[in-house]
Amino acid sequence: MVGQTGAAWFFLCFAAFAGGAGDGDYQALVTLNEEFLEFRQPVMVDGLPDYSREVTAAREHGLHSFFDRLEAIDPSGWTIPEKVDYLLVRAQLNELDFKHRVLRPWARDPGVYVGAVQRVAFQELPVSGEELSGFESRLVAVPAFLDQAKGNLSEGAGELCKTALRDLQQPDGVGHGHPYREVPPAGTIGWYRDLMQRLEQHHPDLAPEAEAALEAITGFRDWLQHSGMDAPAGIGRENYDWYLENVLYMPFTMEDIVTIGDRELHRSWAFLELERNKNRDVPILEPAASAEDYQRRIREADEQVRRFIREERILTIPDYVGEFGHNVPWIERPGGRRNFWEEIQFRDPRPDHVHAVIPGHRFDMLVKEHDTRPIRGPYYDSGRIEGWAMYLEEMFLQAGLLDDLPRTRELFYIFQIARAARNRAEVGLHSNQFTIQDAVRYMVCLLYTSDAADDN
């Protein structure tokens, strides 16, 4: 059966020892992988993804043919790196199979459609030529795209509907890929109002199309509010375990994930309290007073991290690595409120700089772009990517980066507490034991009733 691939160790044994009559040409695997990477991209119509039933059914049929081709390849005589590549290709096929069998976002998650139309409003203006034509096509296509969404969402999950409604009408300001605004627009609807203001200045002839798109989006919001979506959002234990085993190749179960996360939670709490007691006479870190102050702190953090990497010979920074910017923008919210990430980063940017800038995500992705290996280069492994970034937080803390910054050490431990708390919250959501509100309440309770955010 498609996707029923068994345990990761089985494939390692198969690749190492099993013989067969199939094609043993490694290049056949490379060709299959290249074609699959093209195949798995969403079908686009007027710049927006086509999730129609006909397209979805055709993709499912096409996926079967890729599994058949992979089964016909015999890696038994290959080198170990080539056998690993075979497993990576299988994992990618398994992931798309999982998406069609279990996740089915086009039928279950209204947020898929909200995110797609929101990105249209991120268009920088003015534009001209082909870029202008493409933007106009996407803008005009929004109403039909949302009409398709209403027909597709036959299995709508209640909790995913809630998140889609939030994204439609509530500001965030920390979304990856969002253009910077001093005052974050109120969700997708706010971004289209932002777009209309910019169109008045640069492309007033497109104002009717933008108005029609905004009307369709507000209509979609109203439809969601009365849609009665109530299907479970979580994928359940069996599917969760299958994904860990057959896509991420992790030797864990859902219960293991909870145990590991709780262990990290209590360890981080203990170290935070020890650190806070040790630093009780050290002045607390105050948040940056201005955007300029924050930018200065970011520059100082970047310079120190890069210098520490070089002096301690942590890793090699290639010559092509330049500046990366930062991950948390400066935002002044009403009443001086700050979200969790801002509460940390405005005091000291180092925690997220190590995790998400250098040598974390941005550095990691840039190095990946320079990986010319045909299968390893384009391979995306969320477990490795996030594992590397979280490892860096602890590694730099223990390696001495923060020896002269005791209060910043506390921020690193608070980061660890937040990630460990999120671990159980995620499992609770996927086991359908938590609603989103339950998960938020659980995380807030752990972070704040433990006094983890006090002082710093």
Side-chain angles (χ1 to χ4, degrees):
M1 180 180 294
V2 172
Q4 301 302 314
T5 57
W9 62 264
F10 170 83
F11 293 112
L12 285 168
C13 294
F14 167 79
F17 304 115
D23 185 356
D25 181 9
Y26 176 76
Q27 186 56 45
L29 182 71
V30 172
T31 300
L32 186 156
N33 185 66
E34 290 173 348
E35 294 177 6
F36 176 73
L37 294 181
E38 180 81 15
F39 168 81
R40 75 177 180 182
Q41 297 301 314
V43 175
M44 307 297 286
V45 176
D46 295 324
L48 291 170
D50 185 353
Y51 295 124
S52 64
R53 289 179 174 84
E54 296 79 11
V55 168
T56 301
R59 287 172 64 79
E60 289 176 357
H61 179 76
L63 180 58
H64 280 263
S65 69
F66 279 102
F67 272 104
D68 290 341
R69 289 171 59 187
L70 184 64
E71 293 296 339
I73 296 175
D74 174 19
S76 59
W78 294 0
T79 65
I80 290 177
E82 289 172 338
K83 291 172 182 176
V84 171
D85 284 352
Y86 179 89
L87 293 178
L88 297 184
V89 174
R90 184 178 287 277
Q92 292 179 126
L93 269 61
N94 285 343
E95 184 172 36
L96 187 57
D97 168 57
F98 187 83
K99 185 175 183 179
H100 279 264
R101 286 191 298 108
V102 179
L103 297 181
R104 298 179 55 75
W106 47 83
R108 300 177 66 245
D109 185 4
V112 167
Y113 301 94
V114 173
V117 298
Q118 185 180 75
R119 287 188 288 274
V120 176
F122 291 165
Q123 176 68 54
E124 294 293 334
L125 301 176
V127 287
S128 60
E130 292 185 4
E131 190 175 2
L132 175 59
S133 299
F135 167 61
E136 184 175 5
S137 296
R138 293 192 299 275
L139 193 59
V140 170
V142 167
F145 178 70
L146 293 178
D147 282 342
Q148 184 192 100
K150 295 174 186 177
N152 290 346
L153 288 164
S154 57
E155 308 164 27
E159 294 301 299
L160 298 180
C161 182
K162 291 177 185 177
T163 60
L165 284 167
R166 181 198 182 283
D167 291 344
L168 277 166
Q169 52 199 358
Q170 294 186 35
D172 180 12
V174 297
H176 295 307
H178 288 203
Y180 176 73
R181 299 289 186 273
E182 287 188 12
V183 179
T188 301
I189 292 173
W191 275 105
Y192 271 79
R193 290 174 177 153
D194 176 275
L195 174 64
M196 291 177 66
Q197 292 177 354
R198 291 182 290 123
L199 285 173
E200 289 179 5
Q201 178 181 357
H202 299 291
H203 300 284
D205 53 313
L206 292 181
E209 286 81 359
E211 290 175 3
L214 178 57
E215 183 178 353
I217 292 167
T218 55
F220 188 63
R221 175 202 60 191
D222 297 342
W223 179 80
L224 286 178
Q225 288 173 335
H226 299 91
S227 64
M229 294 183 185
D230 60 1
I235 61 176
R237 172 183 172 175
E238 183 178 350
N239 288 322
Y240 193 97
D241 288 351
W242 191 95
Y243 190 88
L244 287 173
E245 182 179 15
N246 297 285
V247 177
L248 297 180
Y249 290 150
M250 291 183 177
F252 306 124
T253 64
M254 179 179 277
E255 285 78 7
D256 294 332
I257 296 296
V258 172
T259 299
I260 294 169
D262 286 353
R263 183 185 303 145
E264 286 300 293
L265 176 64
H266 293 109
R267 184 182 71 88
S268 301
W269 260 341
F271 279 120
L272 173 63
E273 291 306 317
L274 290 171
E275 192 69 40
R276 290 178 64 193
N277 183 65
K278 183 172 63 176
N279 302 335
R280 60 188 179 275
D281 295 327
V282 178
I284 66 171
L285 295 174
E286 297 293 343
S290 64
E292 293 74 21
D293 185 16
Y294 182 47
Q295 288 299 323
R296 177 188 59 77
R297 297 186 191 202
I298 291 172
R299 287 193 300 272
E300 290 177 355
D302 188 72
E303 291 170 1
Q304 187 211 5
V305 169
R306 291 175 188 249
R307 183 171 61 252
F308 187 82
I309 289 172
R310 290 192 300 269
E311 292 177 353
E312 297 300 319
R313 304 174 68 181
I314 301 292
L315 51 78
T316 299
I317 301 177
D319 293 338
Y320 55 74
V321 173
E323 299 299 317
F324 287 116
H326 58 279
N327 216 41
V328 178
W330 174 261
I331 294 174
E332 295 186 26
R333 300 181 186 273
R337 295 190 301 272
R338 293 180 289 270
N339 66 27
F340 173 79
W341 306 106
E342 294 161 355
E343 197 69 68
I344 299 291
Q345 292 302 102
F346 289 0
R347 297 171 190 272
D348 193 323
R350 286 170 181 81
D352 202 55
H353 207 78
V354 165
H355 179 102
V357 182
I358 184 169
H361 293 323
R362 296 193 184 190
F363 173 84
D364 196 22
M365 290 296 101
L366 182 60
V367 172
K368 183 177 183 296
E369 290 173 5
H370 286 75
D371 188 341
T372 59
R373 292 175 294 179
I375 292 176
R376 305 288 182 96
Y379 186 78
Y380 185 91
D381 182 345
S382 59
R384 190 212 66 80
I385 290 169
E386 292 299 335
W388 167 247
M390 291 184 67
Y391 159 78
L392 288 171
E393 295 176 30
E394 177 84 8
M395 186 274 283
F396 272 92
L397 191 156
Q398 301 300 341
L401 175 71
L402 309 172
D403 284 355
D404 297 328
L405 299 166
R407 286 293 189 174
T408 303
R409 290 175 62 88
E410 297 175 28
L411 300 182
F412 272 65
Y413 286 126
I414 293 171
F415 248 30
Q416 291 180 8
I417 291 171
R419 299 187 195 286
R422 188 171 64 186
N423 196 69
R424 183 180 276 268
E426 178 201 277
V427 170
L429 287 167
H430 275 305
S431 62
N432 293 306
Q433 295 176 313
F434 276 3
T435 65
I436 291 173
Q437 191 57 45
D438 291 335
V440 170
R441 190 179 297 114
Y442 169 79
M443 291 186 63
V444 169
C445 179
L446 286 182
L447 280 168
Y448 291 99
T449 61
S450 67
D451 294 330
D454 283 3
D455 295 340
N456 260 330

